[in-house]
Amino acid sequence: MTSIPSAGDPVGASLRAAVFASGGGSNLQCLLDVERSAPDETPWRIVLVVSDRESAGALGRAAEAGVTTRVIPVSRRDPTEVADETVDVLTDAAVDVVFLAGYLRLVPAPVVARWRRRILNVHPALLPSFGGKGMWGRHVHEAVLASGARVTGPTVHFVDEEYDEGTILAQWPVPVKAGDTPDLLAKRVLEAEHRLYPAAAAHLCRALLAGRTPSPLDAPGPHFGASALPLDPAMP
Ligand code: GRF
């Protein structure tokens, strides 16, 4: 379980968050678990989970947690209609911040414009490398292994109008080890994601609640418990 260090924010202050997910939703689960385990110290409340797919496992996790879900299909639809529907759904739920958690679609430009610097994404590689259209899931880890890179790890960044190009808020280095497969690497990086994403989300929310622009997070740094580092400094 990841715990969020308190940064002196008023107890109970929180923003209304939507999570967008297309897949299994382990990052959604992690954000929900953090919120439920320490509500007074968690500066968000997940009030809505949005998916482009009826079959997304994330929807089941949301329902289990009693969070409202909404499917907004994207395939074969007029992009303007999708954008309008998304803006309406977020507005109706009075959403302050959006966390993408394995959402495979481009966020419509009007949504980005309305919630600019209030939308985060977690990507399973150290951007700006190994990002962009088509770089998702296993493809990312295959590309990292093929490149010979010795370090990878998650990036949390603001979402803009392009895939994986927004300003970076936090990264966490994870070693690539001899004998790694895409699955092994994905597992190691996901473990780091589950620590980095809640910490970065809390950092953004606290900054917004305080009326500040969030500074980039140093990770590993004082916001993260050193004993909890998944970073193995022993390189192969
Ligand atoms: C994660 O690896 C995340 O970095 C990427 O999509 C994956 C989602 O995994 N954006 P999950 O659905 O949260 O388990």
Side-chain angles (χ1 to χ4, degrees):
M1 177 68 57
T2 305
S3 65
I4 300 290
S6 171
D9 55 310
V11 169
S14 60
L15 297 178
R16 293 172 66 81
V19 175
F20 282 31
S22 302
S26 73
N27 279 287
L28 163 67
Q29 190 66 57
C30 183
L31 293 166
L32 286 167
D33 288 348
V34 165
E35 178 189 323
R36 301 295 152 94
S37 67
D40 287 348
E41 291 149 42
T42 304
W44 70 74
R45 292 289 176 270
I46 298 175
V47 296
L48 177 69
V49 170
V50 172
S51 183
D52 56 314
R53 305 174 179 195
E54 293 273 4
S55 60
L59 293 173
R61 294 180 189 266
E64 182 78 17
V67 174
T68 301
T69 60
R70 179 71 181 246
V71 176
I72 303 181
V74 175
S75 284
R76 297 182 294 280
R77 283 185 75 194
D78 173 9
T80 306
E81 194 183 292
V82 173
D84 289 348
E85 183 179 348
T86 309
V87 168
D88 287 350
V89 164
L90 295 181
T91 304
D92 288 349
V95 162
D96 301 304
V97 289
V98 177
F99 305 136
L100 306 190
Y103 185 64
L104 295 176
R105 303 287 180 171
L106 202 56
V107 177
V111 177
V112 174
R114 180 91 168 258
W115 283 270
R116 194 171 295 284
R117 294 187 78 82
R118 286 169 171 259
I119 309 176
L120 293 180
N121 180 43
V122 61
H123 182 77
L126 296 174
L127 295 173
S129 297
F130 309 111
K133 193 166 169 52
M135 274 292 173
W136 56 275
R138 195 184 168 86
H139 303 296
V140 176
H141 305 294
E142 284 171 351
V144 168
L145 289 173
S147 76
R150 311 311 296 144
V151 180
T152 183
T155 299
V156 177
H157 64 94
F158 288 104
V159 169
D160 66 11
E161 288 80 357
E162 308 294 332
Y163 281 109
D164 302 329
E165 288 193 5
T167 306
I168 291 170
L169 185 61
Q171 293 184 309
W172 193 300
V174 171
V176 180
K177 298 184 181 183
D180 265 348
T181 62
D183 287 344
L184 283 171
L185 200 50
K187 186 167 178 286
R188 197 176 307 126
V189 171
L190 195 62
E191 191 186 328
E193 289 182 37
H194 291 167
R195 297 203 165 272
L196 186 69
Y197 207 17
H203 183 67
L204 171 66
C205 291
R206 288 190 181 117
L208 291 171
L209 285 164
R212 287 186 278 104
T213 301
S215 53
L217 264 185
D218 287 334
H223 291 266
F224 305 89
S227 60
L229 291 182
L231 173 65
D232 175 357
M235 297 298 280

